[in-house]
Amino acid sequence: MDSDFIPGIYNWCDRWCERCSFTSRCRVYEKTENTSNSEPEEFWENLSQSFQETIDLLKNTAEEFGINLDEIEEEIPLEEEEEEEYKVAEEPLYQVTNSYLKTARVWLESDSFKAFITKLEEKGELGLITISEAEDKVIALSEAVEVIHWYLFFIHVKSSRALKEKQEDFWDEYTESEKSYNGTAKITKIAIERSMQAWIHLLNQMQEDQDRIVEILALLEKSRKLLEKEFPNLDQFIRPGFDEE
């Protein structure tokens, strides 16, 4: 029945239908139903730990590698990119999320992850760890990389969109809970935090790549802080379905 569908829920999601609990109430999913969404809650629960624990671990590891999370914005060179109508490319948030996109993409396209998975499988074959343990680690790591891949472009695109929307006069008369850019910023924050949790999982397993992963995590943490500074009322936005009891 039409009454079962949540109006507009698809406007504030991450488009990852197979990881969504609301597909049965989404009009867009009904029209494009061709994916599996078995046990999405279990997937996110297995991936995430307390987000504060994630931040604490990042701070401790960053300190070990001599990375100051509060100074990263100054270390990132500005890109000479122009927007036709808005000067979004000059915004620190745009710059940092763009740097994350480029830096994370370089790592993902390298052989680091593939080589680590190969070593894990070899350890299982040699009996250094059990086959079951090796398989479990490979699955967990692969799922973390899947999360990173999914949100890789999403974070930069959505944060840029939020910046553009905020510069428009259209939303001036609306309350904070109704302003579209707060909703866009909110789903961007969720994507950043999920990505950080996934990178933390890689950090805990891939000792040889810790320095590179910490740098990537630092960019995400800076993105999160800049997003919250630019959109201090993002949490006031109520996404239909997702944020309603």
Side-chain angles (χ1 to χ4, degrees):
M1 295 177 61
D2 286 349
S3 58
D4 292 332
F5 291 105
I6 301 175
I9 188 172
Y10 43 79
N11 289 324
W12 310 108
C13 72
D14 57 14
R15 296 295 189 269
W16 203 347
C17 298
E18 63 184 345
R19 300 298 188 194
C20 181
S21 303
F22 292 92
T23 50
S24 63
R25 305 188 67 188
C26 177
R27 176 67 73 183
V28 170
Y29 179 80
E30 181 198 34
K31 296 179 180 178
T32 59
E33 184 175 359
N34 56 8
T35 58
S36 170
N37 64 322
S38 57
E39 301 179 340
E41 296 92 345
E42 182 179 349
F43 173 82
W44 293 119
E45 183 177 347
N46 290 339
L47 171 69
S48 68
Q49 50 186 310
S50 166
F51 189 70
Q52 186 56 51
E53 291 177 8
T54 299
I55 296 300
D56 291 342
L57 178 58
L58 170 59
K59 288 179 179 178
N60 292 335
T61 310
E63 185 176 348
E64 290 179 17
F65 286 93
I67 297 176
N68 189 327
L69 298 177
D70 295 324
E71 294 179 355
I72 287 179
E73 181 182 349
E74 299 176 2
E75 298 169 359
I76 299 170
L78 293 180
E79 304 265 339
E80 293 184 0
E81 296 183 47
E82 297 181 356
E83 295 288 331
E84 292 184 4
E85 298 182 43
Y86 308 97
K87 294 185 178 179
V88 171
E90 298 177 1
E91 296 289 340
L93 178 60
Y94 179 99
Q95 294 292 330
V96 178
T97 57
N98 193 37
S99 293
Y100 165 71
L101 168 58
K102 292 179 179 180
T103 307
R105 188 176 183 183
V106 169
W107 188 90
L108 291 168
E109 292 177 351
S110 72
D111 294 329
S112 296
F113 183 71
K114 183 178 179 181
F116 185 77
I117 293 299
T118 300
K119 287 182 180 179
L120 267 181
E121 293 171 341
E122 290 175 349
K123 285 182 179 180
E125 293 172 357
L126 293 172
L128 300 177
I129 59 176
T130 66
I131 296 293
S132 177
E133 184 180 358
E135 290 176 346
D136 288 344
K137 287 187 175 182
V138 169
I139 291 173
L141 288 166
S142 297
E143 287 185 338
V145 169
E146 184 182 12
V147 171
I148 293 166
H149 268 292
W150 188 265
Y151 294 119
L152 183 62
F153 290 90
F154 185 95
I155 291 170
H156 181 58
V157 170
K158 289 296 185 180
S159 59
S160 298
R161 175 184 167 184
L163 288 169
K164 288 182 183 180
E165 290 178 336
K166 188 177 181 181
Q167 292 182 5
E168 297 173 353
D169 296 333
F170 179 81
W171 299 104
D172 289 351
E173 302 302 321
Y174 288 80
T175 65
E176 294 298 326
S177 62
E178 297 173 313
K179 291 177 178 177
S180 176
Y181 57 74
N182 279 331
T184 303
K186 189 171 189 175
I187 58 175
T188 304
K189 181 182 176 182
I190 292 170
I192 289 173
E193 292 181 349
R194 287 179 173 177
S195 295
M196 290 182 71
Q197 290 164 347
W199 280 110
I200 283 289
H201 188 71
L202 298 185
L203 180 71
N204 289 334
Q205 298 293 325
M206 302 179 67
Q207 303 295 322
E208 295 178 1
D209 262 46
Q210 278 196 340
D211 55 341
R212 296 174 66 191
I213 294 175
V214 168
E215 290 178 3
I216 291 170
L217 273 163
L219 289 172
L220 278 174
E221 171 62 357
K222 191 61 182 178
S223 298
R224 187 180 71 87
K225 288 181 177 179
L226 287 170
L227 185 75
E228 292 180 337
K229 181 179 179 181
E230 188 70 33
F231 305 95
N233 299 309
L234 63 85
D235 287 326
Q236 292 185 29
F237 189 90
I238 304 300
R239 298 174 302 153
F242 298 107
D243 302 326
E244 297 172 332
E245 296 182 358

